[in-house]
Amino acid sequence: MGTFDLHASTSRRIGLFGQLMPLVTEEILHITRQIVEGLAALHKEGICVGILTSDSILLPDGESNGSLIVRITQYAVSHVSKDGLDIHGGLPHSFSIAPEQLVNGSAPVETTFKTDVWALGIVLLEMATGVLLRDVWSLKQYMTILKCSMSRAEKGSLLAPVYKALRSASSNARDLLKVGEKLTEIIEKCLSLLPSHRPTLGEVLSCVREKRATESTYYESVECLSGRIASSACKDWVLREMAVEDAFFLWRLCGSSAEAILVKNNVITLRHPVLTNPSIVVEDLRMFGNDESRKFCVKSGVVTLPDKNVREKLMSVPSMDIFLQSFLATPESINNYDEDLSASRMRLISHLLNSRFYKLPELMSSVAPDIPPMRRADVWCALLDVRSSDEWNFFLYNTLAVHVSDRQLDVDIPRCHQYEELMTSPAAHYGLRRLLKAWLVSHPQYVYWQGCDSLAAPFLLLNFNRLPTALACLTAFIKKYLNNFFLKDNSAIIQGSNEPPPRGLPCSLQHVSYQELKKWHCPRISTEEFAWRVSDQLIVAIDIRPQIEFGRGCVLRSINYPNINDASLLNIAEPLRVAQRNQHPICIVGGKDVEMTRKFSADLVNMGIDGVCVLDGGFEAIRHDTSLIHVPH
């Protein structure tokens, strides 16, 4: 399992301290406090680490203030693999295995919050003594010592017998009396034989919490601050201020590949496909023979991914340029993403998202050309006006109960968006089923139609681990764009929103050369289609002829706008807005000056107005149609 560190280019493991000078008591307590805070945050989310050893804790080098900053790695392996059930051979046994985990022998070990506390005690013991257990015993020897120590517990703790055996086996083990009574007491409690006697992380944290710093440490002189900002170590402030997901996105954008690095370091062992073929394949692709070659071998450990490329790329650009690039970016440059522009746009859109309640127009303008992948989920929430209170509804519905749509879901979900790799996973199928059933249960007036799964899939992918948010977005989207569309009888809705055009109309469009067509920015509409749309009030006609000509005769319900050079469009802004909302064409009715019609229609298209078209032949083509023409009073 790899780890990506944002604060330093190199890291060292606590496990290496067995080969270096032992840590002093203050450093051990400082590291312990950070480990406990990390474990507490994980436990709060219901995640047991399971694999907590000295090798899984990193201490990045290069901190500006000289203090040690702890990084816990491999914390999700046990959680995502269901305590090793989904891993061939289960979770690897380590020196941090708790006594209660030895009961099942070779069976997969079950991790709990209390087993993490035991593992914490082993890590603290190794730091306090300056000796790694793996350097003294083999894993089999240690388990034998651990089993023998259970009958020799003192005060309900195994610290005394284990420490005694360690001092006998290694002359380099430091005396616990030298590390202080406080630390020894913490280790003793963490290594209690009974899980119920082990302290909670809150109790451990109260013992190691540092005293509040003096007031003077909260301030920094202007000279020191200026020097720190100007130093080369702070030029990568953009990267250091980012969330790890954003930094990893930029890291990959620079051309780095975690898979390639793991293969290069022999963490992942690949075999040629021809060597993994089975001997026999029967029925539904069930394979027999050559099973060992098809096993995916991964070595357990920590690999630090190099971040040299992304740091050098960001450090080569002045900080102000990174901040301004998103404001100065053109649509062409946005389509050709690079690392600097990506960092700048993510920073800008994050700012607008945080202030979306009073900067929504600016947000919509910024995301119109493109949305950085790491911001799409939050942007959808902003555009659909999803609030945190909307997400609470998900927990009110039973998404596991039997539903009348289960049979159709069984058919549709496995084939939904199979070109997307994540949608082929069982976790995606499970999440999509819960999402759709939550929407159906919360809207009993609706029924499941084929296609609902495709509508819900994008929101699931954007909020894969946040089903309540996905449900809120799906509900808001349907309410805004497909309201009442999924009723049992939605014929009235479909008929009202999708009026079918008449069939069999003759096409009287004038023949125009290809070179002439290239000069236009919008399509033409025939007089026949124009006539029935005017009759059914399914079109907005903008007459750009002079007012005198308009007064002599005009199209029914048309609007005169002779001043085509007025880009404000104040007199026709509301009709244009209504036409776009109803998805009706906006037809430009011109006079004999074709260039004027071409220019005005092009201006509307360039303004981003949808549905613009021009009447083929202009007003002269319908001048004598008495059903369309009237004389305004």
Side-chain angles (χ1 to χ4, degrees), residues 39 42-43 46-54 56 72-84 87 90-98 101 108-120 122-123 300:
L39 293 177
L42 292 171
H43 287 185
I47 298 176
C48 295
V49 177
I51 305 178
L52 181 64
T53 64
S54 298
S56 63
I72 301 177
T73 64
Q74 296 182 301
Y75 56 84
V77 176
S78 175
H79 181 73
V80 300
S81 65
K82 300 178 182 178
D83 288 341
I87 299 178
L91 291 176
H93 290 283
S94 65
F95 287 87
S96 60
I97 187 171
Q101 293 177 303
V109 296
E110 180 182 0
T111 59
T112 63
F113 294 161
K114 292 299 184 179
T115 60
D116 285 347
V117 175
W118 172 276
L120 173 64
I122 295 296
V123 172
S300 177

Side-chain angles (χ1 to χ4, degrees), residues 157 159 176 179-192 199 207:
S157 175
L159 172 61
L176 287 181
V179 298
E181 183 179 349
K182 178 193 293 187
L183 184 58
T184 304
E185 183 181 356
I186 294 174
I187 299 175
E188 184 178 24
K189 291 181 179 179
C190 290
L191 297 183
S192 296
C207 296

Side-chain angles (χ1 to χ4, degrees), residues 232-262:
S232 59
C234 291
K235 288 183 179 178
D236 59 348
W237 60 271
V238 177
L239 191 64
R240 288 187 291 107
E241 289 185 0
M242 283 185 174
V244 64
E245 296 84 359
D246 297 344
F248 186 69
F249 171 74
L250 292 180
W251 182 80
R252 294 185 61 185
L253 201 61
C254 288
S256 302
S257 171
E259 294 80 4
I261 294 174
L262 295 178

